[in-house]
């Protein structure tokens, strides 16, 4: 989740970058999928489908475009949406998080635990929905890998009536994801604690980490387990539709009857939040997912984007390792971002001395990195770390 420059600090980065007259400058603080020439990554299938989608002159209902809701669900769950899953189109993944928060708080789930670190806007969005927001340990900063033992211990210690937020894939800001074996341990714990803890999945990058199926494998395992949970989904990244605000919310319930009641309650919350979601972007997504030819070509484009991201991560990791930095800098990363846990002084030095603009903490968007640019960034990082 997140806008082009995200928080106000990142908007400031964009302004300073534009004012910087140096050649070879790099803006790695921006939070959108880009090509190696630093332009927005536009999917040709999205441009083609958009020409077929007319302007919407009527309101939809608060739940949004029905065809989109079904097709987005199939993409996530790998099957037709069962009757026990309430589904809604939302104003991006952010809208899904906010509506989902209000729903769970209304049911007496007062606390939510998010990974530390997590997307900068999670805390504000979720607290705005009524949650008390706490952290659970996610990353081992010595190895830049998931500290699964501390993570599970923190979740186990969460008080009853707590929600636990999981980023499904391409963790923002670190790029460090759980392995399948680690996810299985999370599922086992959540089954054990099903009467006390409620899972919330934030799926913002499906298809941009390991693959369309692989990135949501754990969501499908949770569905098969019979647990109740929420999925907050964004199509900003995997369709390149940041400005259209295309998201979806799914609430997996114990029964179809409960899902009906949840549907009514969520639509009421949508009505009082933003009335109805915008239709144009959702109908572009639906046009692609419902057309076999367009969908096949979109999947090819998505694979290309994912391969480029993985290549960029590899090139940066190799260059950092070759420069003598500790092995943790070369740990596996997925998706748009990597976080190097730099100090404020090091981040400032990257900008002032090396014309390399990164987000606070040293979060880098790797999507525009060529091998040469990856080496340029690595050389700069090595210089400020010495």
């Amino acid at each position: 989740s997140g806008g082009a420059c995200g928080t106000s600090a990142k908007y400031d980065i964009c302004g300073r970058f534009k004012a910087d007259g140096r050649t070879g400058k790099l803006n790695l603080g921006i939070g959108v999928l880009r090509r190696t020439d630093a332009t927005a990554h536009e999917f040709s299938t999205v441009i083609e489908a958009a020409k077929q989608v007319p302007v919407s002159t009527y309101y939809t209902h608060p739940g949004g475009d029905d065809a989109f809701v079904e097709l987005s669900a199939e993409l996530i769950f790998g099957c037709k949406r069962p009757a026990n899953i309430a589904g809604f189109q939302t104003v991006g993944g952010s809208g899904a998080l906010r509506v989902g928060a209000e729903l769970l708080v209304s049911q007496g789930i007062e606390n939510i635990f998010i990974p530390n670190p997590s997307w900068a806007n999670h805390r504000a969005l979720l607290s705005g929905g009524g949650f008390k927001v706490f952290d659970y340990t996610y990353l081992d900063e010595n190895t830049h890998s998931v500290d699964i033992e501390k993570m599970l211990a923190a979740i186990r210690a969460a008080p009853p009536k707590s929600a636990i937020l999981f980023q499904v894939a391409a963790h923002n800001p670190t790029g460090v994801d759980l392995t399948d074996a680690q996810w299985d341990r999370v599922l086992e714990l959540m089954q054990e604690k099903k009467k006390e803890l409620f899972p919330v999945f934030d799926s913002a990058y499906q298809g941009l980490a390991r693959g369309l199926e692989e990135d949501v494998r754990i969501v499908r395992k949770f569905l098969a387990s019979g647990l109740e949970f929420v999925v907050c989904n964004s199509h900003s990244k995997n369709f390149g539709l940041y400005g259209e605000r295309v998201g979806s919310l799914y609430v997996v319930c114990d029964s179809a009857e409960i899902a009906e009641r949840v549907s009514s309650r969520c639509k009421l919350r949508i009505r009082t939040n933003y009335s109805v979601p915008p239709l144009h972007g959702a109908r572009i997504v639906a046009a692609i997912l419902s057309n076999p030819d367009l969908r096949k070509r979109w999947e090819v484009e998505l694979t290309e984007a994912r391969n480029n991201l993985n290549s960029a991560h590899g090139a940066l990791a190799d260059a950092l390792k070759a420069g003598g930095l500790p092995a943790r800098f070369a740990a596996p990363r997925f998706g748009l971002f990597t976080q190097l846990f730099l100090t404020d002084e090091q981040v400032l030095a990257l900008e002032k001395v090396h014309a390399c603009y990164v987000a606070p903490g040293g979060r880098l968007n790797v999507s525009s990195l060529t091998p040469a640019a990856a080496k340029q960034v690595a050389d700069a990082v090595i210089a400020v770390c010495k």
Side-chain angles (χ1 to χ4, degrees), residues 185-200:
R185 293 184 65 188
V186 169
L187 173 56
E188 185 180 346
L189 176 58
M190 296 306 286
Q191 286 176 305
E192 177 190 330
K193 293 281 209 174
K194 66 180 180 181
K195 295 186 184 303
E196 300 172 38
L197 304 179
F198 196 94
V200 176

Side-chain angles (χ1 to χ4, degrees), residues 42-314:
E42 293 182 339
F43 291 80
S44 64
T45 44
V46 171
I47 303 301
E48 182 177 336
K51 295 173 182 175
Q52 305 167 17
V53 176
V55 172
S56 306
T57 56
Y58 288 95
Y59 286 126
T60 181
H61 60 84
D65 185 79
D66 294 325
F68 164 80
V69 171
E70 299 307 318
L71 290 161
S72 182
E74 284 184 42
L75 194 67
I76 297 165
F77 297 110
C79 61
K80 296 279 187 185
R81 180 168 66 97
N84 69 310
I85 301 180
F88 317 88
Q89 180 197 339
T90 57
V91 180
S94 298
L97 285 161
R98 176 59 183 256
V99 173
E102 290 190 10
L103 172 72
L104 295 181
V105 169
S106 76
Q107 300 306 298
I109 300 174
E110 299 176 349
N111 308 312
I112 190 164
F113 287 76
I114 64 175
N116 180 22
S118 198
W119 177 46
N121 209 22
H122 269 146
R123 189 174 298 275
L125 267 175
L126 296 167
S127 62
F131 271 128
K132 297 173 186 173
V133 184
F134 303 92
D135 294 333
Y136 62 80
T137 301
Y138 183 77
L139 198 76
D140 182 339
E141 291 190 19
N142 292 318
T143 62
H144 288 192
S145 61
V146 174
D147 192 333
I148 189 63
E149 301 304 336
K150 287 185 179 178
M151 175 179 171
L152 293 174
I155 293 171
R156 185 180 292 279
K161 291 193 173 181
S162 292
I164 312 293
L165 184 138
F166 302 106
Q167 291 193 38
V168 174
H171 181 272
N172 181 355
T174 68
V176 176
D177 287 347
L178 281 81
T179 65
D180 288 340
Q182 289 171 333
W183 273 125
D184 287 342
R185 293 184 65 188
V186 169
L187 173 56
E188 185 180 346
L189 176 58
M190 296 306 286
Q191 286 176 305
E192 177 190 330
K193 293 281 209 174
K194 66 180 180 181
K195 295 186 184 303
E196 300 172 38
L197 304 179
F198 196 94
V200 176
F201 289 106
D202 184 357
S203 180
Y205 302 96
Q206 184 183 352
L208 288 169
R210 290 186 293 168
L212 266 178
E213 308 295 318
E214 294 88 341
D215 290 350
V216 289
R217 184 178 290 149
I218 189 56
V219 175
R220 296 175 184 182
K221 284 186 177 181
F222 266 70
L223 181 62
S225 77
L227 288 173
E228 291 188 305
F229 61 95
V230 162
V231 178
C232 303
N233 173 64
S234 169
H235 288 304
S236 292
K237 294 83 177 173
N238 56 14
F239 284 85
L241 284 168
Y242 291 93
E244 296 289 347
R245 312 310 301 133
V246 187
S248 51
L249 170 69
Y250 298 98
V251 186
V252 181
C253 307
D254 276 339
S255 68
E257 292 74 23
I258 294 173
E260 278 292 325
R261 295 201 294 273
V262 165
S263 183
S264 296
R265 288 172 179 170
C266 279
K267 286 176 182 176
L268 177 61
R269 279 170 175 79
I270 290 169
R271 184 84 175 109
T272 55
N273 262 303
Y274 49 80
S275 187
V276 295
L279 283 172
H280 191 68
R283 287 181 172 169
I284 292 172
V285 172
I288 292 170
L289 294 180
S290 62
N291 181 303
D293 175 60
L294 277 174
R295 173 163 179 158
K296 184 178 180 181
R297 287 191 281 131
W298 166 72
E299 289 188 14
V300 170
E301 289 189 280
L302 189 66
T303 299
E304 176 195 349
R306 178 175 67 251
N307 289 343
N308 288 342
L309 288 170
N310 291 336
S311 294
H313 277 297

